[in-house]
Amino acid sequence: MGDTVVHLHKNTDPPAEPSAVTTLTVVPDLAPTAPVPLWVRSGRAVKTAVTHENTKASARAVARHSLYTFNGGRIVARRTWDGRTGARYERMLRAAEAAGNYEVAQEWEERLQRFRDARHRRRMDLLHSPVDAAKGALVGTGMGIGGLVALGVVMAIANKDVTDVVTPLSAVIEFIALLIRIVQIVWGPALSIGPFLALLALWAVGCKQQAAPQWALPANIRSSEGEPITPSIVVKALRDLGVPALARAIKEMGDAGASMLGPIRIAGCGVEVDVTLPSGVSTNEVQNRRRKLAENLTRHEHEVFITIPQAARTVRLWIADSGALDEPIGPSPLTTDATMTADYSKGKAPWGQDLRGDAAALSLYQRHLLITGLSNQGKTASLRALALWAVLDRTVEFRIADLKGVGDWAMFDGLATILIQGPADEQVVEATEMVEGLVEEMNRRIEARRRDPSAVFSPLIGIVDEAQVAFMCPVKDEDGRPYGGSKATSRYFMAVRRVHNQGRAVDVILWEGTQDPTDQNLPKLVREGAHTRASLALGTEQQARMALGDKAVDGGAAPHLLRQGLDKGTLVVASDGIQIPAGQASITVRTHYIDDDQAKAITDRAKAMRGNITTLHVIDRGPQRDPLADIHAVLGSDTRVRTQEVITRLAALNADAYGGWSFIDLKRVLDGAGAEPYKSDGRMVVARDRVAAALANRPDEDSASADG
């Protein structure tokens, strides 16, 4: 290639001169393509033939029918062996021992002994049977010949022909000869056809049992997507799970593992079965192989749920119908029943459906609530659905802080007494003061309950959506206390803790929604203070433990296995306020989705029931107090006063400002002013002289600002 070739050719165009002209044309060598070798074309043809679908189908058919015959022979041999020996009894005995059921094992051992005794008697009878058979044959032959002769005598007398005496005997001899001739004729073809008939019988047995590998079965059988769950399918899935002890135990069981299974019950859009594991197999070995178990059951991972019931060494499998969990559930009763009302103390909020298809309703009575999950998984919609039910009880008061601020809670304007919306630090400050207002109301109610034990209070529910924004807020107040964080000086954290500690006793409840939980944006003490903990899809098992607690996750709760984006609105709930099957620590709920328009229609009904409510959008902080001056004022003329008495006097001076104060709050103010409390006679006290000196030495704010 690249050489130049000179071609000579005759110019056929009309010549310019009278004589013909020979033209030299220089043309680059184009190296014409060589013909493809025969062996290359043959290889391509063979490859095409091998990969052709008809070839694959033919190969599968040959393998399938061959294996039907071979495995059918194995099945017949196994049945024959079981029928002739005590192998079946021995397998059942081992299965009962493996399951730890020794009473059943003893019963099978007795049956095996009875079988052996009966077999021994039969074999002893065979020793005497040839003699008995010979005697019987002689007696029978003699009686038969005698009977035929007697019949001949009767015929001879009747026909008056002596030759009729042997006529019956001759007829019998001729019949026997005919049978011999028939056998001689049939015997040869039977020897040729018999093996084929035997193979056909073995093929029929193998075909009925589908005794061939999955890849060799027909397409309509091989595609087992969504096939019904049967005991054999469950046992085979467990056998192939990759747990050696489990596989050995199933192999040794006489019933091929069927004794492990409880009844397979229809449960909503799937089935449920309890599996008692054999000795040596732990429940977590099955739990940790959820994906493989689901694939063995011809399901996706999200369609199989494994929980631990009360019974020891038992796992409960819930297996969805193929594709059922991808179908939406019905609408919320709140949107379909315009007459529905709520009863906070005795009723339950319709939240959705559990995996069994039963209605899942949650009691909100005196239960703090925490819902968490990854972003955009339906957290706000799930939290709002509960509030939309509770708002239909006219006795319930709402104070709401939406730290996302995109209007998800806007329909509660005119229903909530406080509605804060926005993600900025200013809204975090207001949300913190809203929760601190819950603390003040809680303290007021506790004091009222102390004076009158029969006092009853209306429910007060505080809601903070996107609470992680508050925990991560870096802003500090004028005293240097951070609004965010999880220390004893963190205002939002401490307010939440106080509500969690005592709020439910006087119907002051806090609901929080947060996303992507960590120890920083959802402190341990806060998440463990919630009575109802629910989680949408999460990223890791560690986050699942943060959201629901170790007990729920160890019991089978797995929000980290929910599919992000596909299982929106599906919650794993751990709470005593919802009906959970006995022995389980959690339940999976597919919540009803209520869109903004439907939510507005529900709140409009609530407004019609309740009347007009003035909603505050900014916390009214009132006149600013001077804590140090107020401390000096309540000390009066006393030289020193116990710290608890000072706190009591401050609360009497202004309950709104100091009703929620504790020793920490008092100490913080005094330490900052240089008038620290000290011990006197074993009790912490505040000295009037120290407070007066701190006030006198404090720089004047106006002069300080002028100097700046």
Side-chain angles (χ1 to χ4, degrees):
M1 185 120 180
D3 296 332
T4 302
V5 180
V6 178
H7 296 276
L8 295 175
H9 64 86
K10 195 83 167 184
N11 191 352
T12 57
D13 295 333
E17 302 293 334
S19 60
V21 178
T22 301
T23 306
L24 286 175
T25 307
V26 180
V27 182
D29 185 11
L30 298 180
T33 305
V36 179
L38 180 60
W39 64 270
V40 174
R41 287 181 289 169
S42 300
R44 291 174 180 171
V46 170
K47 182 179 179 181
T48 302
V50 169
T51 58
H52 195 276
E53 187 58 36
N54 291 339
T55 305
K56 292 181 181 179
S58 300
R60 282 197 297 267
V62 171
R64 177 170 67 252
H65 294 293
S66 300
L67 290 170
Y68 278 170
T69 305
F70 176 75
N71 291 327
R74 293 179 58 191
I75 294 171
V76 171
R78 178 72 175 271
R79 291 174 179 174
T80 303
W81 178 258
D82 287 345
R84 302 289 296 176
T85 67
R88 177 184 291 109
Y89 298 93
E90 292 176 357
R91 286 200 307 271
M92 300 298 288
L93 175 60
R94 289 195 298 270
E97 290 177 343
N101 197 338
Y102 296 106
E103 293 181 359
V104 176
Q106 184 177 2
E107 181 181 346
W108 280 111
E109 186 176 10
E110 293 174 356
R111 292 184 181 182
L112 175 60
Q113 188 60 42
R114 289 196 297 268
F115 170 79
R116 287 173 175 170
D117 293 341
R119 183 178 61 184
H120 176 71
R121 287 194 299 271
R122 288 195 302 271
R123 288 177 177 176
M124 294 302 295
D125 292 342
L126 288 176
L127 296 177
H128 305 285
S129 59
V131 177
D132 295 338
K135 291 180 179 179
L138 289 175
V139 173
T141 302
M143 293 180 63
I145 293 174
L148 291 174
V149 172
L151 179 61
V153 171
V154 172
M155 292 177 62
I157 294 174
N159 296 330
K160 298 179 180 180
D161 185 359
V162 71
T163 59
D164 286 344
V165 173
V166 296
T167 298
L169 188 60
S170 300
V172 172
I173 293 173
E174 290 176 359
F175 177 72
I176 294 174
L178 177 62
L179 291 179
I180 292 174
R181 285 195 297 271
I182 292 174
V183 170
Q184 289 175 339
I185 294 172
V186 174
W187 185 254
L191 288 177
S192 302
I193 300 174
F196 293 102
L197 295 177
L199 290 175
L200 181 61
L202 297 179
W203 175 89
V205 173
C207 181
K208 184 177 181 180
Q209 298 292 328
Q210 297 294 325
Q214 193 74 9
W215 58 266
L217 296 176
N220 59 334
I221 300 176
R222 187 171 66 252
S223 177
S224 56
E225 183 76 19
E227 64 181 348
I229 298 298
T230 62
S232 61
I233 290 176
V234 176
V235 172
K236 186 175 183 299
L238 293 168
R239 185 195 67 193
D240 299 338
L241 199 55
V243 181
L246 181 58
R248 285 195 304 269
I250 293 175
K251 185 177 180 180
E252 293 173 356
M253 290 181 182
D255 57 357
S259 60
M260 297 192 308
L261 306 184
I264 296 180
R265 305 177 295 272
I266 296 177
C269 57
V271 296
E272 185 179 72
V273 59
D274 287 351
V275 181
T276 302
L277 300 176
S279 179
V281 182
S282 63
T283 55
N284 65 333
E285 289 182 283
V286 177
Q287 279 186 300
N288 294 338
R289 290 170 171 82
R290 178 186 176 191
R291 173 174 293 182
K292 189 170 185 179
L293 178 61
E295 292 172 351
N296 290 348
L297 293 167
T298 65
R299 296 294 191 272
H300 297 291
E301 183 179 12
H302 71 277
E303 294 176 329
V304 174
F305 288 81
I306 306 172
T307 54
I308 309 299
Q310 286 180 328
R313 217 170 63 237
T314 302
V315 293
R316 178 169 293 163
L317 306 180
W318 185 85
I319 307 160
D321 298 336
S322 184
L325 294 184
D326 297 325
E327 298 294 329
I329 64 173
S332 169
L334 291 171
T335 63
T336 58
D337 185 359
T339 63
M340 176 176 283
T341 58
D343 186 340
Y344 164 80
S345 61
K346 298 179 181 178
K348 291 188 175 183
W351 211 6
Q353 294 179 0
D354 62 17
L355 296 179
R356 296 166 180 78
D358 299 329
L362 179 68
S363 173
L364 307 178
Y365 180 64
Q366 293 186 346
R367 289 178 175 88
H368 301 303
L369 174 69
L370 172 66
I371 298 181
T372 187
L374 297 178
S375 177
N376 195 32
Q377 297 303 301
K379 168 178 52 60
T380 298
S382 302
L383 185 60
R384 190 177 67 181
L386 298 176
L388 288 171
W389 176 81
V391 80
L392 295 176
D393 183 342
R394 66 181 66 195
T395 65
V396 178
E397 177 187 351
F398 283 97
R399 300 180 185 180
I400 301 172
D402 174 16
L403 298 182
K404 184 190 298 181
V406 295
D408 290 333
W409 297 87
M411 66 286 301
F412 281 83
D413 192 355
L415 287 172
T417 53
I418 296 176
L419 179 59
I420 301 164
Q421 300 181 88
D425 292 341
E426 181 182 354
Q427 280 77 44
V428 172
V429 172
E430 294 176 348
T432 302
E433 294 177 347
M434 182 193 82
V435 179
E436 290 174 340
L438 295 178
V439 175
E440 294 173 3
E441 175 63 18
M442 175 189 74
N443 290 333
R444 186 193 68 78
R445 293 184 178 192
I446 291 174
E447 181 63 24
R449 179 70 59 81
R450 187 182 64 82
R451 293 193 300 266
D452 181 8
S454 62
V456 178
F457 308 103
S458 298
L460 171 58
I461 298 177
I463 301 175
V464 181
D465 196 8
E466 305 295 342
Q468 76 279 356
V469 177
F471 284 113
M472 300 302 291
C473 180
V475 174
K476 297 183 179 181
D477 63 12
E478 62 275 7
D479 296 324
R481 296 179 62 197
Y483 285 93
S486 57
K487 297 182 179 179
T489 57
S490 301
R491 290 181 59 178
Y492 181 80
F493 170 74
M494 291 305 299
V496 171
R497 288 289 299 131
R498 288 168 181 159
V499 174
H500 279 178
N501 288 340
Q502 296 177 297
R504 64 172 297 275
V506 288
D507 278 316
V508 177
I509 306 300
L510 181 62
W511 297 354
E512 289 182 288
T514 183
Q515 63 175 272
D516 202 11
T518 65
D519 283 328
Q520 289 71 39
N521 65 25
L522 188 58
K524 186 176 188 295
L525 292 176
V526 170
R527 57 184 186 249
E528 291 186 351
H531 304 100
T532 296
R533 299 166 72 172
S535 176
L536 297 135
L538 288 172
T540 64
E541 182 179 332
Q542 182 181 5
Q543 287 184 318
R545 293 183 181 276
M546 290 182 184
L548 299 176
D550 291 336
K551 179 182 178 181
V553 175
D554 291 339
H560 55 290
L561 296 181
L562 295 174
R563 301 167 298 167
Q564 184 177 1
L566 297 177
D567 290 325
K568 285 186 177 183
T570 299
L571 286 162
V572 182
V573 184
S575 172
D576 62 350
I578 192 170
Q579 185 175 356
I580 297 178
Q584 294 181 203
S586 64
I587 187 171
T588 302
V589 177
R590 303 172 67 198
T591 58
H592 297 294
Y593 175 68
I594 302 175
D595 61 33
D596 290 347
D597 293 337
Q598 293 172 329
K600 188 175 184 307
I602 296 170
T603 53
D604 287 343
R605 285 162 41 200
K607 290 174 184 177
M609 290 171 49
R610 291 168 170 259
N612 295 327
I613 295 177
T614 302
T615 299
L616 297 179
H617 296 275
V618 177
I619 301 297
D620 183 10
R621 298 177 176 85
Q624 294 297 315
R625 308 288 306 185
D626 185 346
L628 189 61
D630 287 341
I631 292 172
H632 184 266
V634 299
L635 290 175
S637 59
D638 296 332
T639 304
R640 58 180 179 268
V641 180
R642 288 185 298 110
T643 53
Q644 188 58 44
E645 178 62 24
V646 173
I647 294 172
T648 303
R649 294 180 183 183
L650 287 172
L653 176 66
N654 191 307
D656 293 335
Y658 304 114
W661 267 38
S662 65
F663 172 75
I664 294 176
D665 300 307
L666 179 63
K667 187 174 184 300
R668 171 180 51 82
V669 173
L670 294 174
D671 288 350
E676 299 86 351
Y678 62 94
K679 275 192 176 182
S680 175
D681 296 332
R683 295 185 177 183
M684 297 297 293
V685 298
V686 180
R688 182 176 182 280
D689 293 342
R690 290 189 180 187
V691 177
L695 280 173
N697 295 330
R698 188 168 60 176
D700 184 70
E701 293 183 2
D702 295 335
S703 61
S705 60
D707 293 340

